[in-house]
């Protein structure tokens, strides 16, 4: 189905084609026509499904028909949990809307507020914001949300995870009630349902793929290895060839810096991105990684949702994430928009409990593998599965139809 059958305006379709998209993804063909009609929507979409365009295109379509630039009112507000996501959504808006005369601004913390004031004074049609900085602007009266027609909550589950929900509620209270509300979330736990019930009118609900289920295009490998040999194994894999654009995840900032330095010392081009770095450093790291100046980017979970780099060939979990949801978000950085990707998780003995949580979350058991050709100095962790099954030369593991298991979300466990 071509984009023009979705009801989008001609200059917008030209903008989409110029971005390089040929046909809409599943979520786009389902959501866009109804969003254009003004319906409220809940999109439960796996990461990498193309959900950003699913909410950005109807907004651009609506505003282009309204000749939005004639006044200085903010007409659409997109709330998102991380700075990186805010920047990426802003870039999508600019890209798709290149033949429209639309003014967009990403409003996020960690950068000077002065430039944001100036842009706001000139007039902005669409704001993409993280909650903290947006509230700051609202308190300073530099942002007025009284004319917002469309509100988008992106990554709503992550807003809860990151403790933003009270800020989000304050912001929503400042937006007119007769707006259109689009809510997107990778998972829809009860808290998100409750939020939606309070802010939406008869929403249409879309679920793309299985909730909690990593997208089909990602092949997952689990390599048990002693803690002492993790770094050696990572370097071995990187130097062996075939891993040209690799995102390595570390649970801590300190860990991310340490891995980055070790790789750098070994002559592997690498950069780190985490919340301990300035916004400028984070942006430069992202740009460098996107431009293939670095083979590796080492990141913490806080950065995971915001990273949308095309062609990440591999995600490596240097340690197993302590929260199962983070596993989904980490590995979703590869295999984007139906490209193929590999996710490799290095697991040491003390991390088995986390792996079990992930298995419960996605309703599937992993198979343990050995990295072919790597010399293990100590036997890899003897886990339940590696004891039960002999090691085989494996070609990775894809999930088929996971059963839905009950999982206690992070905020309930606190
Ligand atoms: P998202 O789920 O919005 O983060 O999108 C994931 C990736 O898919 C991004 O790199 C988008 O640029 C890309 N993408 C979105 N829609 C399409 C499309 N219709 N055709 C090809 N790529 C797309």
């Amino acid at each position: 189905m071509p984009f023009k059958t979705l009801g989008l305006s001609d200059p917008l379709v030209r903008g989409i084609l110029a971005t390089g998209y040929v046909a809409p993804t599943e979520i786009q063909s389902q959501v866009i026509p109804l969003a254009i009609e003004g319906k409220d929507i809940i999109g439960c979409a796996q990461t990498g499904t193309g959900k950003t365009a699913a909410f950005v295109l109807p907004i651009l379509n609506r505003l282009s028909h309204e000749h939005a630039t004639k006044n200085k009112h903010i007409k659409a507000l997109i709330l998102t949990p991380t700075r990186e996501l805010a920047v990426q959504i802003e870039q999508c808006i600019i890209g798709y809307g290149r033949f429209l005369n639309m003014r967009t601004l990403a409003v996020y913390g960690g950068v000077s507020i002065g430039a944001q004031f100036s842009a706001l004074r000139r007039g902005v049609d669409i704001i993409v914001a993280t909650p903290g900085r947006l509230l700051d602007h609202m308190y300073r009266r530099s942002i007025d949300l009284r004319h917002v027609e469309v509100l988008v909550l992106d990554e709503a589950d992550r807003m809860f995870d990151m403790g933003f929900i009270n800020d989000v509620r304050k912001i929503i209270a400042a937006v007119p009630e007769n707006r259109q509300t689009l809510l997107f979330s990778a998972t829809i736990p009860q808290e998100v349902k409750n939020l939606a019930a309070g802010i939406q009118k008869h929403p249409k609900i879309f679920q793309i793929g299985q909730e909690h289920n990593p997208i089909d295009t990602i092949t997952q490998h689990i390599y048990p290895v002693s803690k002492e040999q993790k770094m050696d194994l990572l370097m071995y894999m990187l130097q062996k060839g075939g891993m040209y654009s690799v995102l390595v995840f570390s649970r801590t900032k300190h860990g991310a810096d340490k891995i980055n330095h070790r790789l750098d010392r070994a002559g592997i081009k690498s950069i780190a991105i985490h919340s301990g770095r300035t916004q400028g450093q984070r942006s430069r790291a992202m740009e460098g990684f996107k431009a293939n100046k670095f083979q590796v980017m080492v990141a913490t979970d806080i950065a995971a949702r915001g990273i949308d780099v095309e062609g990440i060939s591999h995600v490596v979990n240097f340690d197993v994430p302590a929260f199962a949801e983070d596993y989904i978000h980490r590995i979703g950085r590869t295999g984007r928009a139906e490209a193929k990707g590999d996710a490799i998780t290095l697991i040491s003995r003390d991390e088995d409990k986390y792996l079990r949580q992930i298995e419960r979350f996605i309703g599937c058991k992993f198979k343990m593998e050995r990295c072919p050709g790597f010399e293990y100095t100590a036997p890899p962790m003897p886990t339940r599965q590696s004891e039960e099954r002999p090691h085989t030369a494996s070609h990775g593991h894809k999930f088929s139809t996971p059963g839905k298991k009950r999982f206690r979300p992070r905020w309930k466990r606190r």
Side-chain angles (χ1 to χ4, degrees):
M1 180 202 289
F3 273 103
K4 62 176 178 220
T5 59
L6 297 180
L8 299 166
S9 68
D10 281 348
L12 193 47
V13 172
R14 277 197 285 134
I16 299 162
L17 297 179
T19 308
Y21 301 171
V22 179
T25 63
E26 190 183 350
I27 191 159
Q28 290 162 8
S29 29
Q30 293 194 7
V31 164
I32 291 171
L34 284 167
I36 287 177
E37 280 179 29
K39 298 266 191 307
D40 281 0
I41 281 169
I42 296 179
C44 177
Q46 293 169 21
T47 183
T49 50
K51 66 184 167 60
T52 311
F55 59 77
V56 164
L57 296 177
I59 292 177
L60 287 175
N61 195 62
R62 177 186 187 124
L63 301 190
S64 63
H65 286 304
E66 288 179 6
H67 304 292
T69 49
K70 281 193 176 155
N71 61 42
K72 287 188 170 188
H73 296 151
I74 296 162
K75 292 158 204 82
L77 170 64
I78 300 167
L79 281 179
T80 181
T82 67
R83 299 166 189 178
E84 281 78 16
L85 261 176
V87 171
Q88 273 163 24
I89 295 170
E90 183 194 33
Q91 284 167 356
C92 287
I93 297 172
I94 294 168
Y96 309 150
R98 70 189 76 189
F99 301 115
L100 304 169
N101 191 15
M102 213 67 71
R103 296 158 304 177
T104 311
L105 181 66
V107 165
Y108 51 87
V111 292
S112 136
I113 202 164
Q116 294 174 359
F117 285 146
S118 320
L120 287 163
R121 271 195 299 271
R122 286 194 296 276
V124 173
D125 302 300
I126 306 170
I127 295 269
V128 189
T130 54
R133 178 56 69 92
L134 178 60
L135 269 184
D136 201 356
H137 277 287
M138 286 164 63
Y139 292 142
R140 292 165 186 248
R141 299 189 184 283
S142 45
I143 280 188
D144 177 0
L145 300 178
R146 284 176 303 168
H147 301 275
V148 167
E149 298 167 20
V150 187
L151 169 70
V152 178
L153 291 187
D154 189 26
E155 312 262 4
D157 52 350
R158 196 65 165 182
M159 301 276 197
F160 279 94
D161 273 7
M162 293 172 75
F164 290 155
I165 199 60
N166 288 334
D167 287 353
V168 169
R169 286 189 188 280
K170 283 182 205 157
I171 293 164
I172 296 174
V175 177
E177 272 186 25
N178 63 341
R179 57 167 191 263
Q180 178 182 22
T181 309
L182 312 175
L183 182 151
F184 288 82
S185 199
T187 57
I188 311 277
Q190 194 56 44
E191 283 78 356
V192 172
K193 282 186 195 144
N194 295 346
L195 173 73
I199 63 169
Q200 290 189 305
K201 292 180 208 86
H202 313 296
K204 301 273 171 207
I205 301 170
F206 295 97
Q207 166 131 19
I208 303 299
Q210 279 271 357
E211 193 181 347
H212 301 170
N213 185 20
I215 50 182
D216 296 339
T217 49
I218 303 169
T219 306
Q220 299 168 80
H221 305 267
I222 308 290
Y223 289 167
V225 61
S226 69
K227 245 190 177 130
E228 296 69 35
Q229 269 208 297
K230 274 194 176 185
M231 199 63 222
D232 294 338
L233 177 53
L234 176 64
M235 290 209 261
Y236 171 80
M237 292 190 297
L238 290 170
Q239 286 168 334
K240 198 171 62 162
M243 293 173 74
Y244 46 88
S245 181
V246 185
L247 189 56
V248 174
F249 277 105
S250 155
R251 218 178 290 143
T252 64
K253 295 181 222 176
H254 176 67
D257 283 335
K258 221 165 112 185
I259 297 167
N260 182 36
H261 290 142
R262 290 281 304 272
L263 295 179
D264 223 36
R265 278 213 308 272
I268 296 168
K269 287 200 171 9
S270 158
I271 188 84
I273 184 167
H274 54 68
S275 59
R277 313 206 81 202
T278 65
Q279 189 53 40
Q281 288 172 323
R282 285 161 69 167
S283 303
R284 279 194 295 281
M286 282 289 284
E287 278 156 27
F289 188 54
K290 275 185 182 174
N292 293 320
K293 285 191 194 148
F294 305 103
Q295 180 188 0
V296 180
M297 183 155 80
V298 191
T300 53
D301 288 298
I302 203 87
R305 285 257 182 147
I307 296 170
D308 176 19
V309 177
E310 272 177 36
I312 290 181
S313 62
H314 293 76
V315 165
V316 177
N317 294 315
F318 192 82
D319 40 37
V320 184
F323 298 106
E325 302 99 317
D326 287 336
Y327 178 78
I328 307 293
H329 301 144
R330 284 182 180 193
I331 70 167
R333 300 308 99 194
T334 184
R336 315 275 289 165
E338 289 161 31
K340 297 243 180 293
D342 284 73
I344 299 168
T345 301
L346 310 186
I347 172 172
S348 57
R349 191 180 292 267
D350 55 322
E351 293 174 310
D352 193 34
K353 53 183 182 290
Y354 301 136
L355 199 70
R356 282 173 195 263
Q357 276 183 19
I358 296 167
E359 288 178 334
R360 275 204 303 279
F361 189 59
I362 53 185
C364 226
K365 282 228 176 291
F366 288 112
K367 188 166 127 198
M368 301 290 150
E369 296 173 47
R370 270 174 189 270
C371 173
F374 178 69
E375 267 186 40
Y376 291 87
T377 53
M381 177 189 81
T383 66
R384 64 234 131 96
Q385 282 146 310
S386 55
E387 282 167 345
E388 282 161 15
R389 304 174 196 205
H391 289 301
T392 51
S394 164
H395 302 292
H397 178 63
K398 281 189 181 181
F399 292 115
S400 47
T401 46
K404 281 215 171 178
K405 295 268 169 74
R406 199 166 146 53
F407 181 76
R408 197 162 171 74
R410 189 187 312 183
W411 52 88
K412 285 196 179 159
R413 276 181 259 136
R414 275 190 197 123

